[in-house]
Protein backbone atom coordinates (compact mmCIF):
# COMPACT_ATOMS: atom_id res chain seq x y z
CA UNK A 1 0.00 0.00 0.00
CA UNK A 2 1.08 3.55 -0.64
CA UNK A 3 0.82 6.57 1.63
CA UNK A 4 1.93 10.17 1.52
CA UNK A 5 2.93 12.53 4.32
CA UNK A 6 2.95 16.30 4.02
CA UNK A 7 4.28 17.50 7.35
CA UNK A 8 3.52 21.19 6.90
CA UNK A 9 -0.17 22.05 6.83
CA UNK A 10 0.48 25.78 6.36
CA UNK A 11 3.49 27.63 4.99
CA UNK A 12 3.53 31.45 5.01
CA UNK A 13 6.28 33.07 2.97
CA UNK A 14 7.07 36.59 1.81
CA UNK A 15 6.84 37.47 -1.85
CA UNK A 16 10.06 36.81 -3.80
CA UNK A 17 11.40 34.53 -1.05
CA UNK A 18 12.20 30.85 -1.71
CA UNK A 19 9.89 28.09 -0.53
CA UNK A 20 10.05 24.33 -0.02
CA UNK A 21 6.97 22.17 0.52
CA UNK A 22 7.87 18.78 1.90
CA UNK A 23 6.48 15.43 0.79
CA UNK A 24 7.47 11.95 1.91
CA UNK A 25 5.93 8.73 0.70
CA UNK A 26 5.96 5.10 1.65
CA UNK A 27 5.47 2.25 -0.75
CA UNK A 28 6.55 -1.34 -1.14
CA UNK A 29 6.81 -0.94 -4.92
CA UNK A 30 8.03 1.63 -7.38
CA UNK A 31 5.76 4.62 -7.64
CA UNK A 32 4.85 7.57 -9.73
CA UNK A 33 4.77 10.93 -7.93
CA UNK A 34 2.74 14.05 -8.51
CA UNK A 35 2.19 17.54 -7.21
CA UNK A 36 -1.25 19.06 -7.74
CA UNK A 37 -2.26 22.66 -7.00
CA UNK A 38 -5.72 23.82 -5.96
CA UNK A 39 -6.61 27.50 -6.19
CA UNK A 40 -9.53 28.75 -4.06
CA UNK A 41 -12.88 27.24 -5.05
CA UNK A 42 -11.40 25.33 -7.95
CA UNK A 43 -10.52 21.76 -8.84
CA UNK A 44 -7.03 20.31 -8.82
CA UNK A 45 -4.52 21.00 -11.54
CA UNK A 46 -1.40 18.97 -12.20
CA UNK A 47 1.72 20.98 -11.38
CA UNK A 48 4.39 18.39 -12.18
CA UNK A 49 5.00 14.67 -12.18
CA UNK A 50 7.78 12.11 -11.88
CA UNK A 51 7.31 8.92 -13.86
CA UNK A 52 10.89 7.87 -14.70
CA UNK A 53 14.17 9.26 -15.96
CA UNK A 54 15.64 12.45 -14.55
CA UNK A 55 14.92 12.80 -10.86
CA UNK A 56 14.50 16.58 -11.18
CA UNK A 57 11.24 17.67 -12.76
CA UNK A 58 10.09 21.19 -13.50
CA UNK A 59 6.83 22.99 -14.10
CA UNK A 60 6.19 25.82 -16.51
CA UNK A 61 5.69 28.36 -13.71
CA UNK A 62 9.05 27.92 -11.97
CA UNK A 63 8.36 25.10 -9.50
CA UNK A 64 10.60 22.06 -9.38
CA UNK A 65 10.63 18.81 -7.44
CA UNK A 66 13.31 16.20 -6.95
CA UNK A 67 12.61 12.51 -6.55
CA UNK A 68 14.89 11.06 -3.88
CA UNK A 69 14.44 7.32 -3.69
CA UNK A 70 16.76 6.76 -0.73
CA UNK A 71 14.90 9.34 1.38
CA UNK A 72 11.50 8.50 -0.16
CA UNK A 73 10.88 12.18 -0.72
CA UNK A 74 9.51 14.41 -3.45
CA UNK A 75 9.87 17.95 -2.10
CA UNK A 76 8.52 20.89 -4.08
CA UNK A 77 10.62 24.05 -4.39
CA UNK A 78 10.47 27.46 -5.95
CA UNK A 79 13.34 29.98 -5.71
CA UNK A 80 11.12 33.07 -5.72
CA UNK A 81 7.38 32.98 -5.03
CA UNK A 82 4.71 35.31 -6.35
CA UNK A 83 1.39 36.37 -4.87
CA UNK A 84 -0.36 34.23 -7.48
CA UNK A 85 1.29 31.10 -6.01
CA UNK A 86 -1.03 31.32 -3.00
CA UNK A 87 -2.94 28.03 -3.11
CA UNK A 88 -3.13 24.58 -1.57
CA UNK A 89 -0.62 22.04 -2.80
CA UNK A 90 -1.13 18.29 -2.71
CA UNK A 91 1.48 15.60 -3.12
CA UNK A 92 0.18 12.29 -4.51
CA UNK A 93 1.47 8.85 -5.40
CA UNK A 94 0.23 6.11 -7.70
CA UNK A 95 1.64 2.66 -8.34
CA UNK A 96 1.22 -0.56 -10.21
CA UNK A 97 -1.21 -3.39 -10.56
CA UNK A 98 -4.98 -3.23 -10.26
CA UNK A 99 -6.08 0.34 -9.84
CA UNK A 100 -2.62 1.58 -10.75
CA UNK A 101 -4.13 4.90 -11.79
CA UNK A 102 -5.49 5.45 -8.29
CA UNK A 103 -3.95 8.41 -6.54
CA UNK A 104 -3.15 8.50 -2.83
CA UNK A 105 -2.96 12.07 -1.60
CA UNK A 106 -1.26 13.78 1.26
CA UNK A 107 -3.27 16.08 3.50
CA UNK A 108 -2.13 19.19 1.65
CA UNK A 109 -0.02 22.27 2.37
CA UNK A 110 -1.58 25.69 2.22
CA UNK A 111 0.96 28.14 0.82
CA UNK A 112 0.26 31.79 1.61
CA UNK A 113 2.45 34.39 -0.07
CA UNK A 114 2.64 37.62 1.91
CA UNK A 115 3.14 40.91 0.01
CA UNK B 1 -13.02 19.96 -25.23
CA UNK B 2 -14.98 20.67 -22.07
CA UNK B 3 -12.74 18.26 -20.12
CA UNK B 4 -14.34 16.86 -16.97
CA UNK B 5 -17.70 18.37 -16.03
CA UNK B 6 -19.65 17.90 -12.81
CA UNK B 7 -23.19 18.80 -11.85
CA UNK B 8 -24.50 20.22 -9.64
CA UNK B 9 -21.93 22.66 -8.24
CA UNK B 10 -23.74 22.93 -4.93
CA UNK B 11 -26.32 20.72 -3.21
CA UNK B 12 -28.02 20.66 0.17
CA UNK B 13 -29.70 17.45 1.30
CA UNK B 14 -31.57 16.31 4.35
CA UNK B 15 -30.45 13.20 6.20
CA UNK B 16 -31.86 10.11 4.49
CA UNK B 17 -32.36 11.66 1.09
CA UNK B 18 -30.74 10.14 -1.97
CA UNK B 19 -29.18 11.87 -4.94
CA UNK B 20 -26.83 11.40 -7.86
CA UNK B 21 -23.76 13.48 -8.59
CA UNK B 22 -23.10 13.62 -12.31
CA UNK B 23 -19.69 13.41 -13.96
CA UNK B 24 -18.88 13.41 -17.66
CA UNK B 25 -15.70 13.63 -19.71
CA UNK B 26 -15.24 14.18 -23.44
CA UNK B 27 -11.63 13.02 -23.74
CA UNK B 28 -12.39 9.33 -24.36
CA UNK B 29 -10.55 8.42 -21.16
CA UNK B 30 -10.69 4.82 -19.95
CA UNK B 31 -10.19 5.57 -16.28
CA UNK B 32 -12.56 7.60 -14.12
CA UNK B 33 -12.75 8.08 -10.38
CA UNK B 34 -14.50 9.87 -7.53
CA UNK B 35 -12.74 11.51 -4.59
CA UNK B 36 -14.01 13.36 -1.58
CA UNK B 37 -12.10 16.23 -0.02
CA UNK B 38 -12.41 16.99 3.67
CA UNK B 39 -10.47 19.61 5.67
CA UNK B 40 -7.16 18.29 6.94
CA UNK B 41 -7.62 14.94 5.21
CA UNK B 42 -6.68 15.61 1.60
CA UNK B 43 -8.55 13.69 -1.08
CA UNK B 44 -9.70 10.13 -0.56
CA UNK B 45 -10.76 7.73 -3.29
CA UNK B 46 -14.38 6.58 -3.16
CA UNK B 47 -14.83 4.45 -6.31
CA UNK B 48 -13.08 4.09 -9.62
CA UNK B 49 -13.58 2.56 -13.04
CA UNK B 50 -10.99 1.27 -15.52
CA UNK B 51 -13.49 1.12 -18.38
CA UNK B 52 -17.16 0.90 -19.30
CA UNK B 53 -18.89 -1.82 -17.31
CA UNK B 54 -16.05 -2.12 -14.75
CA UNK B 55 -16.07 -0.46 -11.34
CA UNK B 56 -14.27 -1.05 -8.06
CA UNK B 57 -14.09 0.32 -4.55
CA UNK B 58 -11.56 2.80 -3.27
CA UNK B 59 -10.63 3.77 0.29
CA UNK B 60 -14.02 5.08 1.46
CA UNK B 61 -16.81 3.40 -0.56
CA UNK B 62 -19.45 2.94 2.13
CA UNK B 63 -22.70 4.80 1.43
CA UNK B 64 -21.93 5.34 -2.26
CA UNK B 65 -22.72 3.46 -5.46
CA UNK B 66 -21.37 3.93 -8.97
CA UNK B 67 -21.97 2.54 -12.44
CA UNK B 68 -20.21 3.00 -15.77
CA UNK B 69 -22.53 2.23 -18.65
CA UNK B 70 -20.65 4.48 -21.10
CA UNK B 71 -17.07 5.67 -21.45
CA UNK B 72 -18.16 9.27 -20.96
CA UNK B 73 -20.27 9.14 -17.80
CA UNK B 74 -19.54 8.05 -14.23
CA UNK B 75 -22.34 9.04 -11.82
CA UNK B 76 -21.98 8.76 -8.05
CA UNK B 77 -25.09 7.86 -6.07
CA UNK B 78 -25.65 8.58 -2.41
CA UNK B 79 -28.14 6.00 -1.22
CA UNK B 80 -29.21 7.58 2.08
CA UNK B 81 -27.36 10.78 2.84
CA UNK B 82 -25.74 11.26 6.23
CA UNK B 83 -24.09 14.36 7.77
CA UNK B 84 -20.74 12.53 7.55
CA UNK B 85 -21.06 12.76 3.77
CA UNK B 86 -20.87 16.55 3.85
CA UNK B 87 -17.82 17.17 1.69
CA UNK B 88 -16.53 18.42 -1.63
CA UNK B 89 -16.65 15.73 -4.29
CA UNK B 90 -14.29 15.61 -7.24
CA UNK B 91 -14.51 13.48 -10.33
CA UNK B 92 -11.35 12.75 -12.31
CA UNK B 93 -10.39 10.95 -15.50
CA UNK B 94 -7.22 9.60 -17.07
CA UNK B 95 -6.24 7.95 -20.34
CA UNK B 96 -5.40 4.89 -18.23
CA UNK B 97 -2.49 2.50 -18.43
CA UNK B 98 -3.09 1.68 -22.10
CA UNK B 99 -2.76 5.39 -22.75
CA UNK B 100 0.66 5.34 -21.10
CA UNK B 101 -0.20 8.04 -18.62
CA UNK B 102 -1.06 8.26 -14.96
CA UNK B 103 -1.99 11.92 -14.90
CA UNK B 104 -5.56 12.55 -13.83
CA UNK B 105 -7.72 15.47 -14.92
CA UNK B 106 -10.11 16.82 -12.29
CA UNK B 107 -13.54 18.37 -12.57
CA UNK B 108 -14.48 21.59 -10.73
CA UNK B 109 -16.14 19.76 -7.82
CA UNK B 110 -19.55 19.49 -6.16
CA UNK B 111 -19.99 20.95 -2.69
CA UNK B 112 -22.49 18.81 -0.78
CA UNK B 113 -24.03 19.65 2.58
CA UNK B 114 -26.14 17.11 4.44
CA UNK B 115 -28.28 18.54 7.23
Amino acid sequence: AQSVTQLDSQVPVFEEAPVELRCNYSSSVSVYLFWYVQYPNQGLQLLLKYLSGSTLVESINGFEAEFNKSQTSFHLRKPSVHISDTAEYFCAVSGFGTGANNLFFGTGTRLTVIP
Amino acid sequence: NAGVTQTPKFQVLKTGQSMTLQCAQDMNHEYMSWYRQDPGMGLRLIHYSVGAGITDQGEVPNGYNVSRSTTEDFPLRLLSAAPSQTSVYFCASSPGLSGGAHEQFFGPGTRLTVL
Side-chain angles (χ1 to χ4, degrees), chain B residues 4-43:
Chain B
V4 180
T5 58
Q6 293 183 236
T7 56
K9 290 187 177 181
F10 302 94
Q11 184 70 51
V12 179
L13 293 178
K14 294 181 179 178
T15 297
Q17 287 184 315
S18 63
M19 79 159 296
T20 299
L21 307 184
Q22 301 292 344
C23 174
Q25 52 91 10
D26 61 358
M27 299 173 281
N28 200 32
H29 285 173
E30 289 184 351
Y31 177 93
M32 296 185 74
S33 56
W34 277 101
Y35 294 86
R36 59 177 289 173
Q37 181 180 23
D38 302 292
M41 301 186 74
L43 283 82

Side-chain angles (χ1 to χ4, degrees), chain A residues 1-114:
Chain A
Q2 296 99 349
S3 68
V4 176
T5 301
Q6 291 180 252
L7 290 173
D8 306 306
S9 60
Q10 298 188 58
V11 173
V13 62
F14 285 104
E15 192 174 15
E16 297 184 4
V19 69
E20 177 180 82
L21 306 184
R22 295 180 293 169
C23 172
N24 288 89
Y25 69 93
S26 66
S27 176
S28 57
V29 297
S30 297
V31 296
Y32 301 120
L33 293 157
F34 306 83
W35 277 99
Y36 281 84
V37 58
Q38 184 179 33
Y39 298 103
N41 299 313
Q42 293 188 25
L44 277 73
Q45 303 172 30
L46 181 68
L47 188 60
L48 45 76
K49 61 186 176 184
Y50 171 77
L51 302 181
S52 64
S54 172
T55 56
L56 184 66
V57 291
E58 299 176 351
S59 72
I60 59 173
N61 57 353
F63 282 95
E64 64 179 31
E66 185 161 18
F67 170 57
N68 188 319
K69 187 174 183 179
S70 62
Q71 297 187 5
T72 61
S73 67
F74 192 54
H75 301 330
L76 182 70
R77 302 183 182 95
K78 188 170 186 179
S80 176
V81 295
H82 190 268
I83 294 291
S84 60
D85 293 324
T86 293
E88 189 148 22
Y89 293 79
F90 292 94
C91 183
V93 62
S94 69
F96 294 82
T98 303
N101 267 112
N102 295 344
L103 289 173
F104 296 88
F105 285 87
T107 52
T109 298
R110 184 172 300 277
L111 174 64
T112 302
V113 180
I114 305 164

Side-chain angles (χ1 to χ4, degrees), chain B residues 14-92:
Chain B
K14 294 181 179 178
T15 297
Q17 287 184 315
S18 63
M19 79 159 296
T20 299
L21 307 184
Q22 301 292 344
C23 174
Q25 52 91 10
D26 61 358
M27 299 173 281
N28 200 32
H29 285 173
E30 289 184 351
Y31 177 93
M32 296 185 74
S33 56
W34 277 101
Y35 294 86
R36 59 177 289 173
Q37 181 180 23
D38 302 292
M41 301 186 74
L43 283 82
R44 293 177 292 168
L45 182 66
I46 304 172
H47 285 286
Y48 67 98
S49 169
V50 298
I54 306 169
T55 64
D56 207 345
Q57 297 180 351
E59 301 172 74
V60 289
N62 292 342
Y64 306 96
N65 270 358
V66 292
S67 60
R68 184 96 181 269
S69 57
T70 67
T71 299
E72 295 77 21
D73 300 299
F74 191 45
L76 178 72
R77 281 181 285 277
L78 279 69
L79 308 173
S80 177
S84 60
Q85 294 179 303
T86 294
S87 186
V88 181
Y89 291 84
F90 288 100
C91 179

